[in-house]
Amino acid sequence: MHGWRNGLGVFNGLARLHLKSQSSELRSMQKGDEMPVARRESSDSRVIAHIDMDCFYVQVEQRKRPELKGQPAAVVQYNSWKGGGLIAVSYEARKYGVKRSMRGYEAKEVCPIIQLVQVPVARGKADLNAYREAGSEVVSILARRGRCERASIDEVYLDLTEAAETMLAAAPPDSLEIVNEEALRSHILGLNQEDNSDVKENVRKWICRSSADRRDKLLACGVLIVADLRMQVLQDTQFTCSAGIAHNKMLAKLASAMNKPAQQTAVPFSSVKGLLASFPIKKMKQLGGKLGSSLQTDLCVNTVGDLWQFSQEKLQEHYGINTGTWLWNIARGINGDEVEGRLLPKSHGSGKTFPGPSALKNLSSVQHWLNGLCEELSERLQSDLEHNRRIARTLTLHAHAYKTNSSDQQVKFPSKSCSLRYGSPKIQEDAMNLFQAGLREFYGSSNVIQHGWRITGLSVSASKIVAVPSGTCPITKYFQGQQPTCSSSKLLVGDCTEVAYSSVSFSEDEDADKIHTTISNEDSSIQVPSYYQSDGADVSKEAATATSTSGRESCLESNLIGSPSTMSNELSCEPKPDLHTLDRQVRKKSSVDKGKSSILNFFRRVNSNSPLQMHNPAGGTQDHTLSHSDGSRLETELWHYKVDDIDPSVIDELPPEFQEEIRAWLRPHKRPNTVKSGSNVSIASFFSSTSTP
Ligand code: TTP
């Protein structure tokens, strides 16, 4: 199917923008923008799944307090103003019209019986560790069947190609006598599931078609595998999830949001055009910013279908060869992004907002909060080092404050970074220095005092995380070095793969503290608020969510590339990865029930009062703990943010005023009303009866 059809053949993920012609559209976006580029499809019959947990934080709280199961419930921020901002809403509450954008009081108005659970709090801010750990449990189960990329705190991509090929060779779907109940509940795009026909029987026939081409047969295997995995997740963790199964990441992600909660949707190649035709162009990943706007205004393209009419040459003429090719591919559902074998986060961070009157107005209050944020960051770094033998090399401070300059333009607080020194006191000291450097630049050194200032958001993040090579000094020595002595300057030298743990200097080395001025690029088409301006790293698109505080995810990053079977602990002297321990724990809990079970059956047994209902979310939160992206170059003068550099998990954890802006361009929104009428049945009916959905 997809294949590489442009004949140019030389592009890959690292390709930079090559200009065929300098169209005005291109010129206007070029300055500092990172434009999407086409990547070669490795195969036209990959099987990729995107797994997305349902109302995740609510499910985590429901597991803690089973009396909340099946009830309208929401998780609210610790800030109790007007009942706190909702950050996760159960599907039962969504039936009443409760939305994530509401505050607790509003939610109570539309749903008086709603149960509001406060997010755990530590150091005066939200503590997301419980959610990270819960996410890790899920990942450890999913990673059993294929290469696994943790895309956010509750999302995972899986490359199931190998597993599907193995299944097709050993037990092809057309030879199955019994098809997994949960698989029969799948939505197969393009299959008639809207009339009164026996939907499950249609799905069964589709899965078992002996006349299907190899691509569809592999997809059918993917459907079976994902159904099985989702059952395992439910049995072992009590969490439901939804999934999309397709031939690439982009389509899988679109599909997973189509039928929620606790359902899965497959996209046969023949249905791709239909799926994309009416999809709003601005909601496509990487098209939420200037590029999407240019398509709308310059080419009158509002849906992906509209893009179809343009030839590849025409698009290249407007946007350059790479981006033009990328656009042409996207319109046809072609996307070569690989699932990256990564279970660990690419960065760690901690942040907090100070809305309205709580804005910080003096250095001592900034120092107070920075100390807390740095302490948390330091703990997570230590945990990452201890459990995963990884070190971070760059510390970045982001603050949020606006002023208007003489030309009436809003000026944002510049993000600043320096090399990271381990140990809470050092991080605190460096972060404060970074803040002051940012403040001086923000106001101009002479005017800081006379202007006064208001900081409404602060965060610190640690990025450029690298694995400590094997055969270097013991971890304990590193911890000794965490007293404010461990200079990170040595770590900054050279390519990350060359950083030897033994080269870490444990003496005070003030060179490490040089502050690199890093000003956000205001012209970026991507429009990332400076709050997020981090390193100009060359990183993959979906960085894993921060999890390692718990120490539960502990395989070395370098060991995570490839399928779980390759995740052996190559470093024999290392602590045994906790992931495996966790996996064992999870397996122990697991009951048999494979094959014929469905999630419906599970709920009948375990949780008969769980009448979930399908709906779609809205967004908004306050408190945040960041997970940023890692990269290769350190001392960049200007930071250009690429869409692919953003760790999606960061968004969930950042101030609400930024979230919508970023989501708009970072990831496709979930589609409202995409549930087909044939599937327009709540999960309640799955749980309460055996009737065909
Ligand atoms: P989502 O996957 O966006 O939403 P969800 O899992 O709550 O619900 P759905 O079933 O519609 O997917 O987010 C995952 C978790 O991240 C969510 O449970 C809470 C947290 N989060 C925030 O804290 N703030 C936010 O703005 C968003 C969108 C999510």
Side-chain angles (χ1 to χ4, degrees), residues 612-648:
L612 304 180
Q613 191 83 29
M614 289 176 250
H615 194 61
N616 265 317
T621 183
Q622 282 197 353
D623 219 333
H624 49 283
T625 304
L626 310 179
S627 280
H628 274 280
S629 303
D630 185 20
S632 56
R633 297 281 315 153
L634 267 175
E635 302 184 26
T636 14
E637 291 304 317
L638 278 179
W639 286 0
H640 304 290
Y641 231 104
K642 289 192 293 185
V643 163
D644 286 1
D645 290 346
I646 312 289
D647 180 342

Short mmCIF file of all heavy atoms in Angstrom, two decimals, residues 612-648:
data_model
loop_
_atom_site.label_atom_id
_atom_site.label_comp_id
_atom_site.label_asym_id
_atom_site.label_seq_id
_atom_site.Cartn_x
_atom_site.Cartn_y
_atom_site.Cartn_z
N LEU A 612 -20.50 2.55 32.03
CA LEU A 612 -19.80 3.62 31.36
C LEU A 612 -20.56 4.05 30.11
O LEU A 612 -21.30 3.29 29.54
CB LEU A 612 -18.40 3.17 30.96
CG LEU A 612 -17.53 2.66 32.09
CD1 LEU A 612 -16.19 2.25 31.52
CD2 LEU A 612 -17.35 3.71 33.15
N GLN A 613 -20.32 5.25 29.72
CA GLN A 613 -20.97 5.77 28.52
C GLN A 613 -19.94 6.46 27.65
O GLN A 613 -19.04 7.11 28.15
CB GLN A 613 -22.05 6.78 28.94
CG GLN A 613 -22.97 7.19 27.82
CD GLN A 613 -24.08 6.21 27.60
OE1 GLN A 613 -24.48 5.55 28.53
NE2 GLN A 613 -24.55 6.09 26.39
N MET A 614 -20.10 6.34 26.38
CA MET A 614 -19.12 6.97 25.49
C MET A 614 -19.31 8.47 25.41
O MET A 614 -20.39 8.98 25.38
CB MET A 614 -19.28 6.41 24.08
CG MET A 614 -18.82 5.00 23.99
SD MET A 614 -19.15 4.42 22.37
CE MET A 614 -20.44 3.28 22.70
N HIS A 615 -18.19 9.12 25.33
CA HIS A 615 -18.23 10.56 25.12
C HIS A 615 -16.84 11.05 24.82
O HIS A 615 -15.89 10.30 24.79
CB HIS A 615 -18.79 11.27 26.35
CG HIS A 615 -19.16 12.68 26.09
ND1 HIS A 615 -20.12 13.02 25.17
CD2 HIS A 615 -18.70 13.84 26.60
CE1 HIS A 615 -20.22 14.34 25.13
NE2 HIS A 615 -19.37 14.85 26.00
N ASN A 616 -16.72 12.33 24.62
CA ASN A 616 -15.41 12.91 24.32
C ASN A 616 -15.00 13.96 25.32
O ASN A 616 -15.81 14.59 25.94
CB ASN A 616 -15.43 13.53 22.92
CG ASN A 616 -14.91 12.54 21.93
OD1 ASN A 616 -13.91 11.87 22.20
ND2 ASN A 616 -15.58 12.43 20.82
N PRO A 617 -13.67 14.15 25.43
CA PRO A 617 -13.18 15.03 26.49
C PRO A 617 -13.01 16.48 26.07
O PRO A 617 -13.04 16.83 24.92
CB PRO A 617 -11.81 14.43 26.76
CG PRO A 617 -11.36 13.91 25.44
CD PRO A 617 -12.59 13.54 24.68
N ALA A 618 -12.78 17.26 27.03
CA ALA A 618 -12.30 18.63 26.79
C ALA A 618 -11.09 18.80 27.69
O ALA A 618 -10.76 17.92 28.43
CB ALA A 618 -13.37 19.63 27.16
N GLY A 619 -10.42 19.90 27.66
CA GLY A 619 -9.16 19.95 28.40
C GLY A 619 -9.04 21.09 29.37
O GLY A 619 -9.74 22.06 29.36
N GLY A 620 -8.06 20.96 30.25
CA GLY A 620 -7.73 22.06 31.15
C GLY A 620 -7.19 21.59 32.47
O GLY A 620 -7.78 20.75 33.12
N THR A 621 -6.07 22.10 32.84
CA THR A 621 -5.53 21.73 34.14
C THR A 621 -4.62 22.83 34.63
O THR A 621 -4.35 23.78 33.94
CB THR A 621 -4.75 20.41 34.06
OG1 THR A 621 -4.32 20.09 35.37
CG2 THR A 621 -3.55 20.53 33.15
N GLN A 622 -4.14 22.68 35.80
CA GLN A 622 -3.33 23.74 36.36
C GLN A 622 -1.92 23.31 36.69
O GLN A 622 -0.95 23.82 36.19
CB GLN A 622 -3.96 24.19 37.67
CG GLN A 622 -5.13 25.08 37.45
CD GLN A 622 -5.45 25.81 38.70
OE1 GLN A 622 -4.86 25.55 39.73
NE2 GLN A 622 -6.36 26.73 38.63
N ASP A 623 -1.85 22.37 37.55
CA ASP A 623 -0.55 22.02 38.06
C ASP A 623 0.15 21.13 37.05
O ASP A 623 -0.47 20.51 36.23
CB ASP A 623 -0.74 21.24 39.36
CG ASP A 623 0.29 21.63 40.35
OD1 ASP A 623 1.36 22.06 39.92
OD2 ASP A 623 0.02 21.51 41.53
N HIS A 624 1.44 21.05 37.13
CA HIS A 624 2.09 20.31 36.08
C HIS A 624 3.45 19.81 36.50
O HIS A 624 4.16 20.40 37.28
CB HIS A 624 2.22 21.16 34.85
CG HIS A 624 2.79 22.51 35.14
ND1 HIS A 624 2.05 23.49 35.71
CD2 HIS A 624 4.02 23.00 34.94
CE1 HIS A 624 2.79 24.56 35.85
NE2 HIS A 624 4.00 24.28 35.39
N THR A 625 3.78 18.70 35.97
CA THR A 625 5.12 18.16 36.13
C THR A 625 5.56 17.73 34.76
O THR A 625 4.89 16.95 34.11
CB THR A 625 5.08 16.94 37.07
OG1 THR A 625 4.49 17.36 38.28
CG2 THR A 625 6.46 16.43 37.32
N LEU A 626 6.66 18.26 34.32
CA LEU A 626 7.02 18.13 32.92
C LEU A 626 7.82 16.90 32.62
O LEU A 626 8.53 16.38 33.43
CB LEU A 626 7.86 19.33 32.50
CG LEU A 626 7.31 20.68 32.86
CD1 LEU A 626 8.28 21.73 32.39
CD2 LEU A 626 5.97 20.87 32.24
N SER A 627 7.75 16.50 31.38
CA SER A 627 8.66 15.52 30.84
C SER A 627 9.09 16.02 29.49
O SER A 627 8.32 16.01 28.55
CB SER A 627 7.96 14.17 30.67
OG SER A 627 7.90 13.53 31.87
N HIS A 628 10.30 16.46 29.38
CA HIS A 628 10.74 17.07 28.14
C HIS A 628 11.53 16.10 27.29
O HIS A 628 11.80 14.99 27.66
CB HIS A 628 11.58 18.31 28.45
CG HIS A 628 10.73 19.51 28.63
ND1 HIS A 628 10.23 20.20 27.57
CD2 HIS A 628 10.27 20.10 29.73
CE1 HIS A 628 9.51 21.20 28.02
NE2 HIS A 628 9.52 21.16 29.34
N SER A 629 11.90 16.64 26.15
CA SER A 629 12.57 15.79 25.18
C SER A 629 14.08 15.90 25.27
O SER A 629 14.62 16.88 25.71
CB SER A 629 12.13 16.20 23.79
OG SER A 629 10.76 16.11 23.71
N ASP A 630 14.68 14.86 24.83
CA ASP A 630 16.12 14.81 24.85
C ASP A 630 16.65 15.09 23.46
O ASP A 630 15.96 15.04 22.48
CB ASP A 630 16.55 13.41 25.31
CG ASP A 630 18.02 13.35 25.47
OD1 ASP A 630 18.65 14.40 25.62
OD2 ASP A 630 18.55 12.23 25.44
N GLY A 631 17.91 15.38 23.35
CA GLY A 631 18.45 15.65 22.04
C GLY A 631 19.95 15.57 22.02
O GLY A 631 20.59 15.10 22.93
N SER A 632 20.54 16.06 20.97
CA SER A 632 21.95 15.82 20.80
C SER A 632 22.82 17.05 20.94
O SER A 632 23.93 16.98 21.41
CB SER A 632 22.18 15.20 19.42
OG SER A 632 21.63 16.05 18.45
N ARG A 633 22.36 18.21 20.51
CA ARG A 633 23.21 19.38 20.57
C ARG A 633 22.92 20.16 21.83
O ARG A 633 21.79 20.34 22.22
CB ARG A 633 22.96 20.28 19.36
CG ARG A 633 23.30 19.62 18.06
CD ARG A 633 24.78 19.63 17.77
NE ARG A 633 25.38 20.92 18.03
CZ ARG A 633 26.66 21.05 18.35
NH1 ARG A 633 27.42 20.00 18.47
NH2 ARG A 633 27.17 22.24 18.55
N LEU A 634 23.95 20.64 22.43
CA LEU A 634 23.72 21.31 23.69
C LEU A 634 23.67 22.81 23.60
O LEU A 634 22.71 23.44 23.99
CB LEU A 634 24.82 20.91 24.66
CG LEU A 634 24.42 19.74 25.50
CD1 LEU A 634 25.58 19.32 26.34
CD2 LEU A 634 23.23 20.10 26.34
N GLU A 635 24.73 23.38 23.10
CA GLU A 635 24.86 24.80 23.33
C GLU A 635 24.30 25.61 22.18
O GLU A 635 24.96 26.45 21.61
CB GLU A 635 26.31 25.11 23.62
CG GLU A 635 26.78 24.30 24.81
CD GLU A 635 28.18 24.63 25.23
OE1 GLU A 635 28.62 25.75 24.97
OE2 GLU A 635 28.83 23.77 25.80
N THR A 636 23.08 25.35 21.85
CA THR A 636 22.44 26.11 20.80
C THR A 636 22.14 27.51 21.30
O THR A 636 21.71 27.71 22.40
CB THR A 636 21.09 25.47 20.45
OG1 THR A 636 20.77 24.56 21.48
CG2 THR A 636 21.14 24.80 19.12
N GLU A 637 22.35 28.46 20.45
CA GLU A 637 22.07 29.83 20.86
C GLU A 637 20.58 30.12 20.76
O GLU A 637 19.99 30.74 21.61
CB GLU A 637 22.86 30.79 19.97
CG GLU A 637 24.35 30.74 20.20
CD GLU A 637 24.72 31.00 21.65
OE1 GLU A 637 24.16 31.91 22.26
OE2 GLU A 637 25.57 30.26 22.17
N LEU A 638 20.01 29.65 19.68
CA LEU A 638 18.58 29.85 19.53
C LEU A 638 17.90 28.51 19.64
O LEU A 638 18.37 27.54 19.09
CB LEU A 638 18.28 30.43 18.14
CG LEU A 638 18.45 31.92 17.97
CD1 LEU A 638 18.13 32.29 16.55
CD2 LEU A 638 17.56 32.66 18.94
N TRP A 639 16.83 28.49 20.29
CA TRP A 639 16.09 27.23 20.39
C TRP A 639 14.92 27.26 19.46
O TRP A 639 13.99 28.02 19.62
CB TRP A 639 15.59 27.04 21.82
CG TRP A 639 16.67 26.68 22.73
CD1 TRP A 639 17.99 26.50 22.42
CD2 TRP A 639 16.55 26.46 24.12
NE1 TRP A 639 18.69 26.19 23.52
CE2 TRP A 639 17.84 26.15 24.58
CE3 TRP A 639 15.49 26.48 25.00
CZ2 TRP A 639 18.09 25.87 25.91
CZ3 TRP A 639 15.74 26.20 26.32
CH2 TRP A 639 17.03 25.90 26.76
N HIS A 640 14.99 26.38 18.52
CA HIS A 640 13.86 26.26 17.60
C HIS A 640 13.12 25.01 18.01
O HIS A 640 13.69 23.94 18.04
CB HIS A 640 14.36 26.12 16.17
CG HIS A 640 15.24 27.25 15.76
ND1 HIS A 640 14.75 28.51 15.57
CD2 HIS A 640 16.56 27.30 15.52
CE1 HIS A 640 15.75 29.31 15.21
NE2 HIS A 640 16.86 28.60 15.19
N TYR A 641 11.89 25.16 18.26
CA TYR A 641 11.13 24.00 18.70
C TYR A 641 10.51 23.27 17.54
O TYR A 641 9.80 23.86 16.74
CB TYR A 641 10.01 24.41 19.66
CG TYR A 641 10.07 23.59 20.88
CD1 TYR A 641 10.55 24.08 22.07
CD2 TYR A 641 9.68 22.26 20.82
CE1 TYR A 641 10.64 23.31 23.18
CE2 TYR A 641 9.76 21.47 21.94
CZ TYR A 641 10.24 22.00 23.11
OH TYR A 641 10.31 21.21 24.21
N LYS A 642 10.82 22.02 17.45
CA LYS A 642 10.17 21.21 16.44
C LYS A 642 8.98 20.53 17.09
O LYS A 642 9.05 20.13 18.24
CB LYS A 642 11.13 20.13 15.93
CG LYS A 642 12.24 20.70 15.11
CD LYS A 642 12.97 19.60 14.38
CE LYS A 642 13.72 18.69 15.32
NZ LYS A 642 14.52 17.71 14.62
N VAL A 643 7.96 20.34 16.34
CA VAL A 643 6.81 19.64 16.88
C VAL A 643 7.23 18.29 17.42
O VAL A 643 6.82 17.87 18.49
CB VAL A 643 5.75 19.46 15.78
CG1 VAL A 643 4.74 18.41 16.18
CG2 VAL A 643 5.03 20.76 15.53
N ASP A 644 8.08 17.65 16.67
CA ASP A 644 8.48 16.32 17.08
C ASP A 644 9.30 16.31 18.35
O ASP A 644 9.55 15.27 18.93
CB ASP A 644 9.29 15.65 15.96
CG ASP A 644 8.38 15.23 14.82
OD1 ASP A 644 7.17 15.48 14.92
OD2 ASP A 644 8.88 14.65 13.85
N ASP A 645 9.76 17.47 18.73
CA ASP A 645 10.58 17.52 19.94
C ASP A 645 9.74 17.54 21.21
O ASP A 645 10.26 17.44 22.30
CB ASP A 645 11.43 18.79 19.96
CG ASP A 645 12.52 18.74 18.91
OD1 ASP A 645 12.75 17.65 18.38
OD2 ASP A 645 13.11 19.78 18.63
N ILE A 646 8.48 17.74 21.06
CA ILE A 646 7.66 17.91 22.25
C ILE A 646 7.22 16.56 22.79
O ILE A 646 6.71 15.73 22.07
CB ILE A 646 6.40 18.72 21.94
CG1 ILE A 646 6.74 19.97 21.15
CG2 ILE A 646 5.64 19.06 23.20
CD1 ILE A 646 7.45 21.00 21.93
N ASP A 647 7.43 16.39 24.04
CA ASP A 647 6.94 15.21 24.70
C ASP A 647 5.46 15.45 25.04
O ASP A 647 5.14 16.35 25.81
CB ASP A 647 7.75 15.02 25.99
CG ASP A 647 7.31 13.79 26.75
OD1 ASP A 647 6.20 13.31 26.47
OD2 ASP A 647 8.08 13.33 27.59
N PRO A 648 4.58 14.66 24.45
CA PRO A 648 3.16 14.92 24.66
C PRO A 648 2.75 14.87 26.13
O PRO A 648 1.81 15.51 26.54
CB PRO A 648 2.47 13.80 23.88
CG PRO A 648 3.49 13.31 22.94
CD PRO A 648 4.83 13.52 23.59
#
